Amino acid sequence: MALEAVAQDEAVKKLTRNQVAWRAANEIPDGSFVNLGIGLPTTCANFMPEDREIVLHSENGILGVGPAPAEGEEDPELINASKDPITLVPGGSFFVHSDAFVMIRGGHIDLALLGAFEISADGDLANWTTENPNFPPGVGGAMDLAAGAKQVWVLTDHVTRKGAPKIVNKCSYPLTAQKVVTKIFTDLAVIDVAPDGLVVREMVEGMTLEALQELTEPKLTLAPDCKVLTAPAL
Amino acid sequence: MAINKVVQTRAEAVQGIGDGSTVLISGFGAAGVPTDLIHALLDQGARDLTVVSNNAGTGDRGLAALLREGRVRRIVCSYPRSAGSIAFDELYAAGKIELELVPQGTLSERMRAAGAGIGAFYTPTGVGTKLAEGKEVREIDGREYVLEYPLKGDVALVEAESADRWGNLTYNKSARNFGPVMAMAADLTIVEARNIVELGQMNPETIVTPSIFVDRVFHVPAETASAA
């Protein structure tokens, strides 16, 4: 089934962006220290599981990031990597930028959630430049996180706006880091990047492995216990 | 003689910044940007500047104004594009500004190295990417690292929450960001502080930037501060 067909097929229950963030947040183990990257990952702070204590790190010098503030409660000097207003949870702290990256590069961060332009079957990540001369590149903390975090998970739409696969055999855009991504959360599936290839652990309702494979370049394998990917309305 | 780093005028704050200077400017997004000092620099007239800052300015104030007036030859940053970074985007598309893109942790560590007298350092960040092309790579304990050199400023412009006449500083929340590391990485560190407090009034346990790193302090009360 081609993308157009998938997009129009009402039987395929694609996740919204908030639902992708919710699903990824609910995968994070209790007690983890987790960095949230610019874009979709920063919204995970709004959907953290209440039964776990997870400490969120922000590259601009914050441990203990909380959800977005109520309207009218925003503080322009309390922001996340996306420059959106946040709150600080009890126990949270502020520190200089170089210490924020000591935590990242020194291997103290358990997990980084990042966005992507492309991810390869080997776990290569490309997310800083499309080499468009009119569109400046922006690396931010992505290369530090990809090199320093113990694990890297990616949150992304399954395909580009034009319908091309973002999960590819080999990245066409310049790499952020090689062989770092271990898990991919998309609007259609949850995929493990395993040593012997990509394993589909969850798919949205109405999706088949054949249809998902058409939207994904590398070969997909279905996990024996593959589940339906669902999320509450958010 | 009593040490007093507090200057009384904008002109005095930025006096002596020469053409061709490398200027470190604190801030992440709009938080922690010393907007009044940037406008003082604009009025002061220095040209052909290299600016080191995480972002490349937004809207038409602060760094964006400095860019628009053609004062900046080169910018060293990690993430130039953002909502409203129109001044930079136009110069970039027209080929009128040089961009050195540096991973954010490498950017802060290069300045920390400059401040700490470190000659160079090896980092795993960027190995195997275009941003490491042409740089020395060394294997240490089975892992590859890229050689990076210090990044020193002739001048640092830093925003702080409170300062005393010695130049001790505290910051506010995530507006701290690059301030403390830039303050230690420049020959001349100029601070825009919202509050000036008496010497001894700050709790020594909570001073973030000790006075030794600061040269000038200019008082910009919150109610008169320019939005970034």
Side-chain angles (χ1 to χ4, degrees), chain B residues 46-61:
Chain B
R47 320 188 61 85
D48 196 32
L49 301 171
T50 292
V51 166
V52 181
S53 192
N54 189 60
N55 306 107
T58 58
D60 51 14
R61 304 261 315 142

Side-chain angles (χ1 to χ4, degrees), chain B residues 25-206:
Chain B
I25 301 180
S26 69
F28 181 91
V33 175
T35 306
D36 283 76
L37 286 181
I38 297 171
H39 282 272
L41 178 59
L42 194 61
D43 296 342
Q44 189 259 11
R47 320 188 61 85
D48 196 32
L49 301 171
T50 292
V51 166
V52 181
S53 192
N54 189 60
N55 306 107
T58 58
D60 51 14
R61 304 261 315 142
L63 181 49
L66 205 60
L67 291 169
R68 190 84 79 188
E69 291 298 316
R71 303 294 177 78
V72 182
R73 179 176 62 80
R74 183 163 170 269
I75 188 157
V76 182
C77 71
S78 89
Y79 207 86
R81 68 168 190 258
S82 53
S85 58
I86 300 154
F88 174 81
D89 292 351
E90 286 177 3
L91 289 170
Y92 182 81
K96 289 182 175 166
I97 192 160
E98 289 175 39
L99 169 66
E100 180 183 347
L101 195 75
V102 181
Q104 203 171 135
T106 298
L107 186 68
S108 62
E109 193 64 13
R110 286 178 63 192
M111 289 187 281
R112 204 189 70 82
I118 307 288
F121 60 93
Y122 288 95
T123 175
T125 301
V127 169
T129 73
K130 281 187 79 167
L131 294 188
E133 274 176 13
K135 293 179 178 175
E136 182 188 323
V137 174
R138 179 181 292 196
E139 192 180 310
I140 302 170
D141 280 344
R143 189 169 190 195
E144 287 192 316
Y145 294 80
V146 180
L147 180 66
E148 295 284 356
Y149 289 98
L151 180 54
K152 191 174 174 59
D154 296 302
V155 182
L157 305 181
V158 170
E159 193 210 46
E161 177 69 11
S162 293
D164 61 24
R165 66 178 173 82
W166 279 16
N168 291 307
L169 307 179
T170 62
Y171 301 85
N172 184 48
K173 305 190 182 79
S174 63
R176 180 182 308 190
N177 57 65
F178 285 92
V181 74
M182 287 180 168
M184 61 174 77
D187 290 330
L188 174 66
T189 293
I190 308 166
V191 173
E192 167 178 332
R194 294 214 189 110
N195 308 291
I196 305 288
V197 300
E198 289 297 319
L199 201 66
Q201 202 178 321
M202 285 181 185
N203 180 347
E205 298 286 359
T206 61

Side-chain angles (χ1 to χ4, degrees), chain A residues 41-111:
Chain A
T42 53
T43 63
C44 291
N46 298 327
F47 308 113
M48 298 307 291
E50 286 177 5
D51 61 342
R52 279 165 259 179
E53 200 155 51
I54 292 163
V55 181
L56 299 178
H57 173 274
S58 190
E59 64 188 14
N60 52 324
I62 308 169
L63 270 178
V65 171
E71 210 177 313
E73 301 283 309
E74 299 91 348
D75 180 341
E77 302 205 324
L78 185 49
I79 60 174
N80 61 20
S82 301
K83 285 87 180 175
D84 293 325
I86 53 165
T87 50
L88 189 76
V89 301
S93 57
F94 303 115
F95 35 88
V96 60
H97 232 92
S98 45
D99 283 355
F101 282 87
V102 163
M103 295 175 197
I104 293 169
R105 289 141 63 117
H108 307 278
I109 299 287
D110 296 311
L111 172 65

